[in-house]
C-alpha cells in the first residue's frame, strides 16, 4: 500500500505532517508514504523524528517538489502556475497510479481545482464536494457536504451531493439505507432558497430509485440529532456550520472546565472529573474528525485540516486508507450510473 | 409602559406565553401587556395561572383576534388573508401607537412580512433583518444577523446588516466602536461568494465613515471567540448556524452529563458537579438568548423562539423592554442617515 502525501501547506509547517506520516507507517507495516515537498525540508524533518518514530524512516520516501501553494493562492493561480508545487506533484503521482490515495493539509480551493484537473471527475459530476463526519447524538455520525468546494450550488449539484454522501455512508460505515436530508431554514416545503427547493423537487421526483431514504428538509440542529446519516448543503453554508461547530465546542469545553475551577466543590469535582473531561474532549475534538474527503473524483484525495497537528494528519491518513479499502470512487461511480 | 403580545403561534401553545407575560408584569409594576388571540383561550390561560402569578391578571389585557398564522403559512398568505390573525392585530395595535413594542413566537416569515407592511421600514432599508446575541468567550456576546428574514442577500443588504448590527451593539450594550465582520469561508479576500466579496468592497470603500471598526472576513468559529461584536451573513447561513449551535450545545451538555455518569468516580463527580453543570446549562441555554430582534422597522418587534417555554418568552419581553428604553429604531435611523 502506497499513499502520496503533500508535506507543505499546513499551518504548523511540515513537521506535524511528517510526524503524523511516521506514526501511520509505524502502525502499518505494509504502508509506504511518498512525501512531496522541498527535499531538504523533508529530509531535515525525517532526521528530527523522535526516536520511537525514526524506525519508520525507510518507508517515508521523499520526492522533491520545489514550490508551495500558499494559503492565499487562488485556484486559478494553482492551475496556471502551480505545476511544480508539492500539491500538484502529489496529485500527478496519484494520477499516474503510483499511489492509491493522496492527502494534503494545504489550500482547499487549490486542492479542489488541481485534483479535478489531474484526476478527472466521475461520469456526470462536474465538481468535487468535500465531506466529513460530524459527531452526533448516541455515538452516531452524520456526513455533512459540501464543506466549501462549491459556493452557490445549483439544485442539480445538491442532488449529486446527496448521491455521493449516501454512497459514502453505505460504503465506509456500512449503513444499508442512509437517511439523507437537505439543509434548510425550516422543515416546511415553502421555505428556503430557490436552489434548495428545486433540489427537494428533484429528489422527490425519483425517490423510489435513490437507494437511500430521502427525509426532506432538515434544520441546523438536526445534524447533531443522530437521526440522519447525510446532510446536504451548499459549500458556503457547510463550511460556516463546520467551523462554527468547532469554535463552539472549544468554547463549551473551556466553560465546563472553568465552571469546575470557579468553586471549591468545583475544584474537588475537577480532580475527580479530569479523566471524564479529557475523554470527552478527545471524543469531540475536531482533529479526530479531521480528514475530509474530496468526493466525485476518479481517485481518493483527503483534505486534512489546515491547522492540524501530527495526530490530526495521522487520522486523515487513516481516512484515506479506509477509502482505499472500500474502493470509494468506484462505489460512488456505480451509484451515479444507476440513478 | 405597554407592550403588545401575540399569544398564538408558539409550539407550546398560549399557556407558556401567557405565563411568561405574567412573570414580566409581576416583576415590573408599570408594565401592562395587551394579549392578542382568541379571547376565550386567553381568558382560560389567565384563569389557570399559578397563584403567585395570578396577581398580574389586572395588567394582562386580552384583545380578541379570531385567527392564527399557522407554522406552515407562507408570508404571502399572511399578507393576503392574515388581517384578523393575532399576529397582524398585535402589529396593527403597535402601528397605531397603542404599544411601545410587540412580541411574537409565531411564524417568522409571516411576522417579517406583516411587520414590514404594518410598521414600515426605516429610510433606505428594504427588508427587516433578524438578530440575536450569541454567547462568546470571556462572557462576551456577538450579534449575528441576518437569522432568516432574507435568503439570498445581495451585497447592499449585507452592508445594511452591518450598519444595523453595529447600531444595536452600541445602543443596547454600550459598545463604543463595535467590531464588525462579514462571515465567509476564509479570511482571504479572494474567497467566498460574489455577494460577500462585493459587500466587503462596499464596506472597505467607506471605512472611515462607518462609526464601527470593520474587521473584514470572519470564519464560522470567530463568532464564539469574543473578539467581534457583530457578525453579518445571509439569512440562510445565519439561520443554519444558529440552529446548529443550539443543537450542538444540547448534545455537548448531554455528553458531559453522560460522561460523569458512566464511571464510578464519575458518579461521585456528578454529585459534586451538579451545581456547576446546572449553572453552565442555564448560561448557555438558547432560551436565555431567545429574543431575536427584527431590525430596520419603524417600530420594535421581538421574535421569540417557536419552541419557547414561559421563561424564554419572559426573556423576549425583557429584550423588547431594553429596546424601548434605548429607543433602538430611532438610533438605527440616525446611523443610516449619516453613513
Amino acid at each position: 500500500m502506497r499513499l502520496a502525501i503533500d508535506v507543505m501547506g499546513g499551518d504548523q509547517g511540515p513537521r506535524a505532517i511528517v510526524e503524523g506520516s511516521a506514526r501511520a507507517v509505524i502502525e502499518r507495516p505494509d504502508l509506504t508514504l511518498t512525501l512531496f515537498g522541498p527535499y531538504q525540508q523533508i529530509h531535515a524533518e525525517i532526521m528530527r523524528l523522535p526516536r520511537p518514530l525514526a524506525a519508520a524512516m525507510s518507508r517515508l520516501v521523499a520526492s522533491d517538489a520545489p514550490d508551495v501553494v500558499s494559503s492565499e493562492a487562488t485556484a486559478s493561480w494553482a492551475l496556471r502556475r502551480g505545476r511544480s508545487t508539492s500539491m500538484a506533484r502529489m496529485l500527478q503521482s496519484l494520477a499516474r497510479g503510483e499511489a492509491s490515495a493522496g492527502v494534503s493539509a494545504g489550500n482547499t480551493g487549490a486542492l479542489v481545482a488541481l485534483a479535478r484537473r489531474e484526476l478527472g471527475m466521475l461520469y456526470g459530476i462536474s465538481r468535487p464536494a468535500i465531506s466529513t463526519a460530524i459527531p452526533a447524538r448516541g455515538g452516531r455520525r452524520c456526513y455533512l457536504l459540501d464543506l466549501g468546494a462549491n459556493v452557490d450550488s445549483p439544485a442539480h449539484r445538491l442532488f449529486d451531493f446527496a448521491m455521493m454522501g449516501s454512497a459514502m455512508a453505505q460504503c465506509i460505515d456500512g449503513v444499508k439505507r442512509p437517511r439523507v436530508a437537505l439543509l434548510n431554514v425550516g422543515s416546511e416545503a415553502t421555505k428556503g432558497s430557490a436552489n434548495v427547493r428545486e433540489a427537494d423537487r428533484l429528489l422527490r421526483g425519483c425517490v423510489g430509485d435513490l437507494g437511500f431514504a430521502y427525509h426532506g428538509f432538515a434544520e441546523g440542529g438536526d445534524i447533531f440529532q443522530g437521526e440522519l446519516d447525510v446532510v446536504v448543503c451548499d459549500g458556503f453554508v457547510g463550511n460556516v456550520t463546520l467551523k462554527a461547530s468547532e469554535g463552539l465546542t472549544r468554547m463549551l469545553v473551556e466553560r465546563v472546565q472553568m465552571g469546575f475551577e470557579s468553586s471549591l466543590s468545583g475544584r474537588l469535582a475537577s480532580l475527580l472529573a479530569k479523566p471524564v473531561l479529557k475523554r470527552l474532549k478527545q471524543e469531540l475534538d475536531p482533529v479526530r474528525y479531521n480528514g475530509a474527503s474530496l468526493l466525485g473524483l476518479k481517485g481518493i484525495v483527503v483534505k486534512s485540516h489546515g491547522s492540524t497537528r501530527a495526530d490530526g494528519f495521522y487520522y486523515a491518513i487513516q481516512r484515506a486508507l479506509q477509502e482505499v479499502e472500500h474502493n470509494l470512487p468506484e462505489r460512488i461511480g456505480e451509484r451515479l450510473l444507476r440513478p
Side-chain angles (χ1 to χ4, degrees), chain A residues 74-207:
Chain A
T74 61
S76 59
W77 178 90
L79 289 172
R80 282 200 320 272
R81 329 201 50 150
R83 285 197 185 269
S84 56
T85 59
S86 57
M87 187 186 278
R89 291 274 170 91
M90 177 274 278
L91 292 164
Q92 289 152 13
S93 160
L94 190 53
R96 285 192 300 269
E98 296 163 3
S100 306
V103 184
S104 172
N107 181 317
T108 308
L111 184 63
V112 168
L114 287 172
R116 185 172 175 237
R117 182 179 69 193
E118 300 299 342
L119 302 175
M121 303 302 301
L122 292 172
Y123 180 78
I125 302 286
S126 59
R127 283 178 55 80
I130 304 176
S131 182
T132 199
I134 309 278
R137 263 181 167 163
R140 297 196 190 85
R141 48 201 288 178
C142 176
Y143 287 100
L144 185 64
L145 75 164
D146 173 40
L147 297 176
N150 310 274
V151 296
D152 289 328
S153 303
H156 69 85
R157 200 169 290 157
L158 294 172
F159 183 94
D160 291 344
F161 295 167
M163 300 296 282
M164 296 196 288
S166 108
M168 177 125 103
Q170 281 180 323
C171 181
I172 303 282
D173 298 335
V175 180
K176 273 210 172 155
R177 203 173 154 75
R179 298 157 298 178
V180 179
L182 276 175
L183 199 55
N184 198 357
V185 296
S187 48
E188 299 84 7
T190 54
K191 288 192 171 174
S193 65
N195 285 342
V196 168
R197 279 180 286 145
E198 172 65 9
D200 176 62
R201 210 187 53 73
L202 290 177
L203 285 161
R204 286 188 192 283
C206 50
V207 79

Side-chain angles (χ1 to χ4, degrees), chain A residues 122-123 125 129 145 160-161 163-172 293-297 299-300 323 326-338:
Chain A
L122 292 172
Y123 180 78
I125 302 286
L145 75 164
D160 291 344
F161 295 167
M163 300 296 282
M164 296 196 288
S166 108
M168 177 125 103
Q170 281 180 323
C171 181
I172 303 282
S293 310
L294 266 64
L295 300 176
L297 295 165
I300 296 170
E323 294 184 10
H326 291 97
N327 211 345
L328 186 62
E330 198 167 305
R331 293 285 297 273
I332 293 179
E334 288 166 13
R335 299 291 309 276
L336 294 170
L337 285 178
R338 43 172 175 80

Side-chain angles (χ1 to χ4, degrees), chain A residues 57 82 106 154 165 188 191 206 214 228 250 253 256 318 324 333 336:
Chain A
M57 273 174 53
E188 299 84 7
K191 288 192 171 174
C206 50
Y214 176 57
L228 293 169
R250 279 195 299 273
V253 170
V256 173
Q318 300 308 309
V324 173
L336 294 170

